[in-house]
């Protein structure tokens, strides 16, 4: 309802100069009550053409602000009295009056605060989990999460087996149909069979996806209810916290490829100091491994059903100021998953996401929010053309879908092996060329990633130092050397900049090389680090036996 407003006149008399005690000047103005604008701005508009001393102006402003405050309060008091007097409960008691107002107030409060309910639930659950994971209940929590992973893995294993059998069956049927072309079958019959196979395959995938989503949802619900029951038990001072494991049917533990249990062999670590005056110490680790090894939950064999140590580290670091991040090279096709992104989504679904939305749901949300960014870029296209170089403009034009080269989108996870945050940076074939510079959009994207890491407590970051996850025949030893030197120098510059960015310090940096890299090339790239970064070498003093 639009509130009624009225006009009030205010008069202020003032002397023309400081030596005159007689009020020989005045201003009179009509203001609207209730006043919902800034009173100081209204006063400046009124007094802008009046030439008085600063002392008089300050006194006039105090008088004006007091006038506005008193009249606003008086207006709202009169309005409240009017509504209260209009409400006549008759001979009802105070209890009946409260019973009348309470449901009306509750309904209005629920409508006003419904937008923050989900946020409150999320914050409550994160607080509960952080409290319990740093208590004696940690071991039981990890075992429950591990049991959930086994059940999910078993369902995925059954899905893959069923789809493989269906594919084999359809292949044989299609082969027989092709052979039957000489026996009277037509191309229309072959097309009908292919359409039927496609429909059967789609329905089978949808059925398994529904089963997997149902399992994830049931595990997520039961897990949250179980944690809440543990919290209630922890508040009982007379009973020690000895959590009971919920009833979970154990799955098979030998369904993963044993190769996923292999650790990277080529690795080397350094401690460096960076900074001009106040030097900061960082740990740098260079290693050759598959980027998805940092995401895979390596399930043990049937003889050892204990959860892996990486899950312990991930759980303790969740909801803390010591997060782990991973840079994943992606393409700009958010409409469908392909390449490394498809493999990453598969790794995410092998274990239930118990804290956040699933990876697919997060990417779907990003796909919608990207549209606003695309529209903003179209409005600023002329401005960009005046700033960017010709090469950068060409790279921007080549990205015709949602995202452009160098763009980054972020997903958060609690069900991966050694990662909490994944930075998906968009790359294209230009990163394979030999003439990229420090102004390449992907390298600028790495700078944005490191800045984001400092702003959001990501203290351990793993990034592909060659801007590729795979090795191809076009990569020569000279290419490896030039690419590594360029990225090393850029990263060093970004790390020096971090001192002025604020936030947390990026204490641990892991430089990832593609899996299967030649050991000689690895040693060559590792030996370049001490030449570019300042190592933290101890000062060795030799004692002289002649000195006493």
């Amino acid at each position: 309802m639009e509130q009624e407003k009225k006009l009030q006149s205010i008069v202020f008399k003032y002397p023309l100069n400081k030596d005159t005690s007689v009020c020989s000047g005045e201003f009179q103005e009509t203001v609207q009550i209730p006043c919902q604008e800034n009173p100081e701005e209204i006063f400046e508009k009124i007094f802008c053409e009046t030439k008085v001393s600063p002392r008089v102006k300050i006194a006039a402003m105090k008088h004006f602000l007091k006038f506005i405050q008193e009249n606003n309060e008086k207006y709202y008091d009169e309005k409240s009295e009017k509504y209260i007097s209009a409400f006549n409960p008759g001979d009802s008691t105070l209890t009946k009056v409260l019973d009348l107002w309470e449901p009306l107030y509750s309904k209005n409060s629920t409508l006003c605060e419904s937008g923050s309910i989900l946020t409150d639930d999320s914050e409550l659950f994160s607080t509960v989990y952080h409290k319990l994971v740093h208590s004696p209940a940690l071991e039981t929590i990890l075992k429950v999460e591990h049991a959930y992973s086994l059940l999910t893995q078993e369902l995925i294993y059954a899905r893959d087996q069923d789809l493989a059998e269906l594919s084999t069956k359809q292949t044989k049927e299609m082969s027989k149909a092709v052979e039957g072309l000489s026996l009277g079958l037509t191309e229309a019959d072959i097309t009908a069979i292919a359409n039927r196979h496609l429909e059967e395959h789609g329905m089978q995938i949808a059925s398994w996806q529904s089963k997997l989503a149902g399992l994830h949802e049931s595990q997520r619900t039961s897990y949250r209810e179980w944690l809440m029951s543990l919290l209630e038990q922890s508040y009982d001072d007379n009973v020690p916290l000895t959590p009971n494991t919920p009833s979970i049917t154990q799955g098979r533990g030998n369904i993963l490829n044993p190769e996923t249990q292999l650790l990277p062999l080529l690795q080397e670590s350094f401690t460096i100091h960076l900074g001009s005056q106040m030097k900061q110490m960082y740990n740098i680790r260079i290693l050759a491994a598959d980027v998805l090894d940092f995401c895979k939950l390596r399930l043990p064999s049937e003889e050892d059903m204990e959860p892996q140590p990486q899950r312990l580290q991930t759980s303790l670091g969740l909801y803390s100021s010591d997060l782990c991040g991973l840079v994943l090279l992606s393409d700009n096709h958010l409409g469908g998953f392909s390449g490394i992104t498809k493999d990453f989504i598969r790794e995410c679904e092998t274990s239930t996401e118990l804290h956040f939305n699933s990876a697919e749901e997060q990417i779907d949300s990003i796909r919608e929010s990207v549209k606003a960014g695309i529209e903003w870029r179209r409005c600023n296209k002329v401005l960009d053309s005046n700033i960017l170089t010709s090469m950068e403009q060409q790279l921007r034009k080549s990205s015709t879908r949602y995202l452009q080269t160098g763009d980054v989108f972020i997903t958060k996870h609690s069900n991966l092996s050694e990662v909490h945050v994944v930075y998906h940076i968009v790359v294209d074939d230009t990163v394979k060329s030999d003439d990229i510079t420090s102004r390449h959009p992907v390298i600028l994207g790495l700078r944005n990633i490191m800045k984001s890491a400092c702003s959001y407590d990501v203290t351990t970051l793993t990034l592909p130092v060659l801007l590729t996850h795979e090795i191809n025949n076009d990569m020569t030893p000279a290419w490896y050397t030039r690419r590594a030197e360029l990225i090393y120098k850029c990263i060093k510059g970004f790390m020096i900049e971090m001192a002025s960015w604020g936030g947390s310090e990026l204490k641990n940096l892991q430089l990832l090389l593609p899996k299967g890299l030649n050991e000689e090339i690895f040693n060559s790239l590792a030996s370049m680090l001490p030449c570019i970064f300042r190592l933290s070498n101890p000062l060795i003093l030799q004692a002289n036996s002649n000195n006493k």
Side-chain angles (χ1 to χ4, degrees), residues 87-103:
F87 175 73
N88 183 15
D91 57 352
S92 300
T93 62
L94 179 61
T95 304
K96 292 182 178 180
V97 174
L98 294 177
D99 291 341
L100 176 64
W101 280 96
E102 192 275 333

Side-chain angles (χ1 to χ4, degrees), residues 37-183:
E37 300 179 15
N38 190 337
E40 296 183 1
E41 294 183 1
I42 298 176
F43 176 81
E44 290 294 340
K45 293 178 182 178
I46 297 173
F47 229 74
C48 63
E49 298 181 356
T50 306
K51 297 181 180 180
V52 295
S53 64
R55 180 177 59 84
V56 173
K57 188 174 181 180
I58 292 174
M61 178 177 287
K62 291 182 179 179
H63 177 68
F64 183 76
L65 295 179
K66 183 178 180 181
F67 171 82
I68 294 295
Q69 181 180 1
E70 291 177 351
N71 282 273
N72 276 348
E73 292 178 355
K74 181 179 179 181
Y75 170 82
Y76 287 117
D77 289 343
E78 293 176 353
K79 188 176 181 180
S80 300
E81 290 292 340
K82 178 181 178 181
Y83 286 131
I84 292 175
S85 61
F87 175 73
N88 183 15
D91 57 352
S92 300
T93 62
L94 179 61
T95 304
K96 292 182 178 180
V97 174
L98 294 177
D99 291 341
L100 176 64
W101 280 96
E102 192 275 333
L104 299 177
Y105 175 80
S106 300
K107 181 180 180 180
N108 183 67
S109 176
T110 302
L111 293 175
C112 294
E113 299 176 2
S114 60
S116 61
I117 292 178
L118 295 178
T119 302
D120 294 341
D121 290 344
S122 177
E123 292 178 356
L124 175 62
F125 178 71
S126 64
T127 303
V128 171
Y129 180 83
H130 187 75
K131 174 182 175 62
L132 293 176
V133 84
H134 291 85
S135 72
L138 172 61
E139 183 178 357
T140 306
I141 292 175
L142 294 180
K143 288 183 178 180
V144 170
E145 294 177 355
H146 180 63
Y148 285 159
S149 298
L150 292 178
L151 288 176
T152 305
Q153 284 285 347
E154 184 175 358
L155 183 62
I156 291 177
Y157 178 79
R159 179 198 65 183
D160 294 343
Q161 291 291 104
D162 184 56
L163 293 178
E165 293 176 359
L166 177 63
S167 178
T168 302
K169 175 183 176 182
Q170 291 179 346
T171 301
K172 292 181 179 179
E173 184 177 355
M174 181 59 69
S175 299
K176 292 182 179 179
V178 171
E179 294 175 356
L181 284 174
S182 58
L183 302 178

Side-chain angles (χ1 to χ4, degrees), residues 264-267 286-290 511-517 522:
L265 300 178
L266 300 178
Q267 56 180 320
I286 182 171
L287 69 160
D290 187 354
L511 306 178
L512 184 64
L513 297 171
K515 184 178 180 181
L517 189 68
F522 174 85

Side-chain angles (χ1 to χ4, degrees), residues 31 82 101 113 155 183 196 233 245 254 291 378 502 548:
V31 295
K82 178 181 178 181
W101 280 96
E113 299 176 2
L155 183 62
L183 302 178
R196 178 171 55 84
Q233 181 183 348
T245 305
N254 59 344
V291 65
R378 289 174 181 171
K548 296 182 179 180

Side-chain angles (χ1 to χ4, degrees), residues 284-398:
I284 293 185
R285 179 187 180 207
I286 182 171
L287 69 160
D290 187 354
V291 65
L292 295 181
D293 287 346
F294 295 90
C295 306
K296 294 178 180 178
L297 292 174
R298 304 171 186 85
L299 299 183
S301 60
E302 292 182 342
E303 291 78 12
D304 182 15
M305 297 303 293
E306 293 296 325
Q308 62 176 355
Q310 287 81 1
R311 183 181 286 273
L312 171 63
Q313 179 182 355
T314 303
S315 299
L316 292 176
L318 197 62
Y319 304 115
S320 73
S321 58
D322 193 15
L323 302 176
C324 298
L326 173 69
V327 178
L328 192 68
L329 305 178
S330 180
D331 54 31
N332 62 346
H333 300 287
L334 278 176
F337 306 126
S338 61
I340 193 69
T341 304
K342 181 179 180 181
D343 297 334
F344 170 75
I345 295 295
R346 179 178 175 83
E347 293 299 332
C348 291
E349 72 176 5
T350 57
S351 180
T352 302
E353 178 56 73
L354 299 170
H355 297 263
F356 313 113
N357 292 334
S358 66
E360 289 192 40
E361 291 174 343
Q362 293 185 52
I363 293 180
D364 287 340
S365 176
I366 292 170
R367 185 184 298 117
E368 293 299 321
S369 62
V370 159
K371 296 179 180 178
I374 294 298
E375 186 63 27
W376 179 87
R377 276 178 173 161
R378 289 174 181 171
C379 297
N380 293 270
K381 184 176 181 181
V382 177
L383 179 62
D384 288 344
S385 62
N386 297 330
I387 298 176
L388 300 178
T389 64
S390 58
M391 178 180 178
E392 291 170 344
Q393 293 180 32
Q394 186 64 29
L395 290 173
R396 298 252 174 169
K397 292 178 181 179
S398 64

Side-chain angles (χ1 to χ4, degrees), residues 227-241:
L227 282 187
M228 290 301 179
S229 66
L230 286 186
L231 180 66
E232 294 177 0
Q233 181 183 348
S234 67
Y235 282 129
D236 192 347
D237 297 332
N238 299 324
V239 180
L241 183 58

